[in-house]
Amino acid sequence: MELFARGPGERVLSRLLGIFGILLFGWMLWYSHANAATHFTSDWVVPLLVLAAAVLVLLLGSILGRYIGPKTFAAVLLLLTAALRLVWIVAIETKPVSDFFDMHSGALSAARGDFSFGTNEYFTRWVYQLGFTLYESLVIKLFGSSLIVLQLFNILFQMGTAVVLYKSAAKAFGEKCGRAAALLYAVYVPNIIMCSVLTNQHISVFLYFLGLYVLIRKRFVGKYDWLLIGLCFGVGNLMRPLGSFFLVGFVAYMALFLLMPRIRERSWPALAAKCIGVIAVYWLVQQAASFALVQTGVTPYPLANREPYWKFMIGLNPATVGGWSYDDTVYVLQYPIGEERNRVELELLKERLENKRQVAALFASKTKVMWGAEDSAPMWSLPELDRPSLYKRLVQAERIEYILLAFFGVVAMTVIAWRGVSAEASFFLLLLLGYAALHVVIEVQTRYRFDIFPCVIILQSVGIYALLGLFRRKERKRGG
């Protein structure tokens, strides 16, 4: 394990990121604790449950580290991940709603050979949703139209993500951190209950983080790493349009941690060429998919965002604290999609930026919601089921787990700010901070945490590792 930074430049960058990380995780801890108190009958219940959960995690971490080998752990991880999610999807009948309903309806039509849905209002507005819709149609065509089939695929992708996180955290921070990250991912309540929801996030998260693992496993020196990363990011973007974010993160990592330190070395041009190769493969995947869908008549438009100002306009709406707005939707739908609607959305965006004090207050409120409020997974998993008691218990469990992760995250960021960590470790922090900064200005939903939460889980594992080391040192002193 190469946990700590290799050189002074790497150490300075990671320490700086660690300081910002302390602010983010501290914010998460403070406001999630305040939010959690509203879901319990007594204020003292929350810290007691968090303390008990922390002790349990540290005990499990100590036992797993001493008595279970890597292969056995991987088998237990896969079994645990699958079992918890399978129980949920069998017990809970989640019907698709909102965007998930539109995409599933389109998938059912596509599986029958009817692609006319590609020209309806939803898919002409959000053309990029066609990629995931066609993935669903392929699964339906091959395995039948039962919802549970698509939900089983969700489980498979989460199992894959669990393994990727295990390997990524182990590479960045060591085997013990890898195990801690993977186990907490497996038992995190929103991950479990979202498996019954037909969201495009399951497959996209797996592909994006698989690409990240390929990048860090050999420090980008593998012969075909550039091709694999480009394909992972490219196909991931077809499923859920976050590819540009991960691509920018990739370029920032390459520039700051790999290219700049080698600016005078002979390996620099080859490394830069591979970086360009990733971008080229990503671009080619998008162009090929758009060309195929247009030429086959599925859609007259390329797979792109036809309303580039929408997310920003919604994100700056103080009435909804940067969340989705029914009034904004009704307002912009009066105008034909294209230049006229874009002009109207841009004008409204500029208008909302005029009051600087209001904008600053909105940014703070949005960040409280995004990183402090309860996860919306129970709402999406139980949309039409009248089960208030179950809903309440799920929210309470998520709140305790979230606070625990935030606490371990603060410890981890303190270690990183103090010691500095390797480029691989810093990369996940760079992505998390970038994602948090992006959602200061664009639309927020707590469901959007799902896309970046693997970074949170990987990073907080350092906190578990540090606390385990502290306890062991105390044990040795008492024994000695």
Side-chain angles (χ1 to χ4, degrees), residues 407-452:
F407 168 70
F408 286 142
V410 171
V411 177
M413 294 304 104
T414 304
V415 172
I416 291 173
W418 175 46
R419 296 291 301 273
V421 288
S422 66
E424 293 86 351
S426 299
F427 185 29
F428 293 107
L429 181 51
L430 181 67
L431 286 172
L432 177 60
L433 292 172
Y435 195 81
L438 178 63
H439 280 81
V440 170
V441 292
I442 70 170
E443 179 192 359
V444 295
Q445 289 186 38
T446 54
R447 180 172 68 88
Y448 295 162
R449 292 198 298 242
F450 191 97
D451 300 296
I452 204 65

Side-chain angles (χ1 to χ4, degrees), residues 273-296:
K274 287 182 179 180
C275 184
I276 294 169
V278 170
I279 298 170
V281 170
Y282 172 85
W283 181 82
L284 286 171
V285 169
Q286 309 313 304
Q287 297 305 307
S290 291
F291 179 80
L293 291 175
V294 171
Q295 291 301 308
T296 54

